[in-house]
Amino acid sequence: MKVLIIEDEDLAVKKLHKTLQAVETSAEIVGVEDSIKGSVEWLQANEHPDLILMDIELSDGQSFEIFNLVEVKSPVIFTTSYDEFAIKAFKVNSVDYLLKPIQKDELQIALEKFKKLSV
């Protein structure tokens, strides 16, 4: 499973990577982006991953803007500290909406949901 992480906090990226590897050993992180601009450029230049783990509040705005700038073909698991964006998240490619700090069991359930939807 190829995964793109869109997150602007280095510590959150490290924790998410570690948690992802603990629950899904076959996961391969194909990129990490920390901004809307970088994410759009990455998605335009690369084959879309199987899954995107995406924070909402990025260094240059809210990640929902990415969906206005480029076609996002991958399912998304949102990872954020804010619960007020949940409804908006499900209007795009959202599989799940996890609040930080991301718990191992919650990520595992979200990944299982993603796998069922991908069949």
Side-chain angles (χ1 to χ4, degrees), residues 5-9 12 53-58 62-64 66 77-82 100:
I5 296 177
I6 300 176
E7 168 65 65
D8 65 342
E9 298 175 24
L53 299 176
M54 182 182 292
D55 188 14
I56 291 178
E57 293 291 342
L58 300 174
Q62 291 184 349
S63 61
F64 296 116
I66 295 166
I77 296 176
F78 284 95
T79 59
T80 185
S81 299
Y82 306 96
K100 294 176 184 176

Side-chain angles (χ1 to χ4, degrees), residues 34-60:
D34 64 357
S35 67
I36 294 165
K37 183 179 184 296
S39 299
V40 168
E41 289 171 358
W42 193 97
L43 289 166
Q44 289 172 332
N46 294 280
E47 183 177 323
H48 285 236
D50 299 315
L51 179 67
I52 300 172
L53 299 176
M54 182 182 292
D55 188 14
I56 291 178
E57 293 291 342
L58 300 174
S59 59
D60 57 351

Side-chain angles (χ1 to χ4, degrees), residues 49-53 72-77 93-95 114 117-118:
D50 299 315
L51 179 67
I52 300 172
L53 299 176
V72 179
K73 299 174 185 173
S74 307
V76 176
I77 296 176
N93 305 24
S94 183
V95 171
F114 158 72
L117 294 172
S118 299

Side-chain angles (χ1 to χ4, degrees), residues 97-115:
Y97 190 93
L98 304 179
L99 292 175
K100 294 176 184 176
I102 306 302
Q103 302 299 314
K104 185 177 173 181
D105 59 332
E106 290 176 348
L107 182 58
Q108 186 158 13
I109 290 167
L111 291 173
E112 288 170 10
K113 182 178 175 184
F114 158 72
K115 289 175 187 176

